[in-house]
Amino acid sequence: MAALAVVGRRSGRTRMVREMSTTLSLVSSSAVLVHLSGGYIELHFHFFVVVALVTLYQQWNPFLLAIGFVALHHGIAGVIDPTSVFNHPSALSHPWRWAGIHAAFIAMASAVGMANWKLNELARHRAEHYFQKLYEGEHALVQRLQETDRVKGELVAAVSHEFRTPLTAILGFAQTLQRNPQVPSEQVADFAARVLRQGHRLHQLVQNLLEAEKPLDETGGACDAEAVIRSSLATAAAVDRVPDRTVLLDIVPGVQVPLRAAATELVLTNLLDNAIKFSTPGTPLTVRAYQSPGGEATIEVANHGPAVSAELRERIFQPFVQGDSSSTRAADGVALGLHIVLRVVPANHGRVEVDSHDGVTVFTVTLPEPHARPARMVEQLPGPPRDSAVGVADPGRWIAPVPASMVTAQVA
């Protein structure tokens, strides 16, 4: 027994060898106690104490060893020296039968120990699972709070920066008119136009803030591309502070955009606003609308200006992100326009792509063919035929410069 115990304590042995050696030492001690007592039945209870200890290993092998040991020991020793194992006539006459009975009770005790081990193991796994979920939930909550705090800070900074300029202009012109009632009518008209322009700018800022918080859903419907493009240009012109902005239109008549007019104008207004802000002064903007052979409606908005890096292309669609997000940046706005575009277009099974090289940046919106055409088509505005040299543009790729034969709109 001592030798087996030493083997069970040796760290160089495998776990199974140590378990089996220690178990064999324990059941041997029970057998010795039974022999020393002359087979008293009370000393047989020591085997159940050993089984309880073996349960701590949480393995099947020690239990099998204990069951086999009891069956063989009681059977063989009961045949050789019955009185050293049993103390009643039936066991003395049938040692193997009673050896089996004792082994069966040890097996049942082992089963109870294993069941208890399994239940504890399941409870531990369940507790670990709940703890992991709780940890992940707390971690996600902390990240959400940090992100909320970051967005709140960026929102406050952006709103305070962007709202201050138009509000200052509106208040300044209004105070001038109030303090000088004799202002010439020409100057009053100029002041009113400036106030109206700054009001449009505030309106667009507020609209973008509201649209960014709306639930994402499909807008449905369909509209005529040319009519909505012209309406969007008028809206962009009301907000744009750069006079005499040239916009080159390349619109294939009859192109239908599978979005409601309001949603399409929201997308186009933000793309045009972005193109105006980041284009080189004096360069034209280009708006194309065509339908691919597969039935997809495609709208491109292009501008000449600084290139958009590959890294920035992945970030500019996030809220409050610009190439320069500092408070001293040259471009105004709260940087929500492209984020709104990315919310609206994919919700209607479309895609948004950006390509920037050779001093030209192109934003391409592609939408699949609508399932049902509107019953009443919007009246088509007249325009020259599309130049055959241009062809159909591949989404996300800039094609040759727009020929002079295309429609040109001077937007003040």
Side-chain angles (χ1 to χ4, degrees):
M1 289 187 297
L4 291 171
V6 170
V7 172
R9 291 282 296 175
R10 294 292 296 273
S11 59
R13 305 290 181 180
T14 63
R15 177 181 173 85
M16 182 176 178
V17 171
R18 289 186 280 113
E19 291 173 353
M20 301 297 280
S21 298
T22 304
T23 302
L24 186 58
S25 174
L26 290 172
V27 293
S28 298
S29 66
S30 299
V32 169
L33 290 176
V34 170
H35 283 292
L36 292 177
S37 67
Y40 273 21
I41 193 64
E42 289 80 2
L43 269 298
H44 284 265
F45 295 156
H46 192 270
F47 282 101
F48 295 99
V49 177
V50 168
V51 170
L53 292 173
V54 169
T55 305
L56 299 176
Y57 279 123
Q58 298 185 351
Q59 294 291 335
W60 286 98
N61 297 326
F63 287 115
L64 296 177
L65 177 61
I67 296 169
F69 180 90
V70 170
L72 293 176
H73 169 265
H74 285 23
I76 296 174
V79 172
I80 298 174
D81 187 9
T83 57
S84 66
V85 182
F86 304 109
N87 65 349
H88 56 91
S90 178
L92 295 175
S93 302
H94 306 89
W96 281 108
R97 178 191 301 171
W98 283 91
I101 293 174
H102 281 243
F105 276 103
I106 295 297
M108 287 186 285
S110 300
V112 172
M114 289 299 295
N116 179 66
W117 161 44
K118 285 296 183 181
L119 290 175
N120 289 335
E121 190 176 57
L122 290 174
R124 186 178 69 252
H125 288 330
R126 192 179 297 111
E128 291 175 352
H129 174 73
Y130 289 150
F131 177 79
Q132 182 66 24
K133 289 294 184 182
L134 179 62
Y135 172 77
E136 293 175 355
E138 290 180 347
H139 185 66
L141 179 60
V142 170
Q143 288 185 325
R144 182 72 177 271
L145 291 175
Q146 291 175 344
E147 178 67 14
T148 301
D149 186 66
R150 182 189 67 82
V151 172
K152 183 183 70 174
E154 292 179 350
L155 176 62
V156 171
V159 169
S160 61
H161 177 267
E162 300 304 332
F163 277 52
R164 185 183 296 114
T165 301
L167 284 175
T168 301
I170 292 173
L171 292 174
F173 291 129
Q175 289 174 355
T176 300
L177 293 173
Q178 185 182 38
R179 294 172 182 174
N180 300 280
Q182 304 301 324
V183 176
S185 59
E186 297 83 2
Q187 197 170 7
V188 170
D190 179 63
F191 285 179
R194 293 173 181 268
V195 169
L196 184 61
R197 177 167 295 179
Q198 297 300 332
H200 279 298
R201 183 180 172 191
L202 281 175
H203 174 74
Q204 184 175 359
L205 289 173
V206 173
Q207 184 181 18
N208 282 345
L209 288 172
L210 295 176
E211 291 292 337
E213 294 299 322
K214 282 185 179 180
L216 187 62
D217 60 355
E218 296 188 5
T219 55
C223 62
D224 180 71
E226 184 171 2
V228 177
I229 288 174
R230 293 184 181 276
S231 175
S232 301
L233 285 171
T235 302
V239 180
D240 181 27
R241 300 188 305 273
V242 182
D244 300 327
R245 172 67 67 168
T246 300
V247 180
L248 304 176
L249 298 181
D250 178 17
I251 304 174
V252 176
V255 174
Q256 291 291 305
V257 180
L259 282 177
R260 289 201 305 265
T264 306
E265 184 169 345
L266 178 65
V267 170
L268 283 171
T269 300
N270 281 297
L271 288 178
L272 290 168
D273 182 63
N274 180 78
I276 291 171
K277 290 176 185 176
F278 298 101
S279 61
T280 303
T283 59
L285 305 180
T286 303
V287 181
R288 288 190 173 109
Y290 56 89
Q291 201 153 12
S292 66
E296 292 182 323
T298 302
I299 297 177
E300 296 178 359
V301 177
N303 68 280
H304 296 261
V308 181
S309 64
E311 178 185 1
L312 186 58
R313 291 177 208 177
E314 300 177 359
R315 298 179 57 246
I316 56 178
F317 291 98
Q318 299 175 10
F320 312 114
V321 173
Q322 286 187 1
D324 179 11
S325 298
S326 65
S327 60
T328 59
R329 62 184 182 268
D332 55 18
V334 294
L336 283 175
L338 295 180
H339 173 65
I340 293 171
V341 171
L342 194 64
R343 283 173 58 86
V344 174
V345 175
N348 291 268
H349 313 289
R351 61 184 184 274
V352 183
E353 301 175 70
V354 57
D355 183 37
S356 183
H357 62 271
D358 298 333
V360 177
T361 299
V362 185
F363 284 85
T364 304
V365 173
T366 306
L367 291 158
E369 184 180 11
H371 297 292
R373 297 291 184 181
R376 179 179 177 273
M377 303 293 288
V378 180
E379 182 181 358
Q380 303 298 325
L381 300 178
R386 180 180 174 88
D387 194 299
S388 59
V390 177
V392 177
D394 293 332
R397 186 169 65 87
W398 175 251
I399 309 300
V402 182
S405 61
M406 294 184 178
V407 183
T408 302
Q410 298 294 334
V411 182

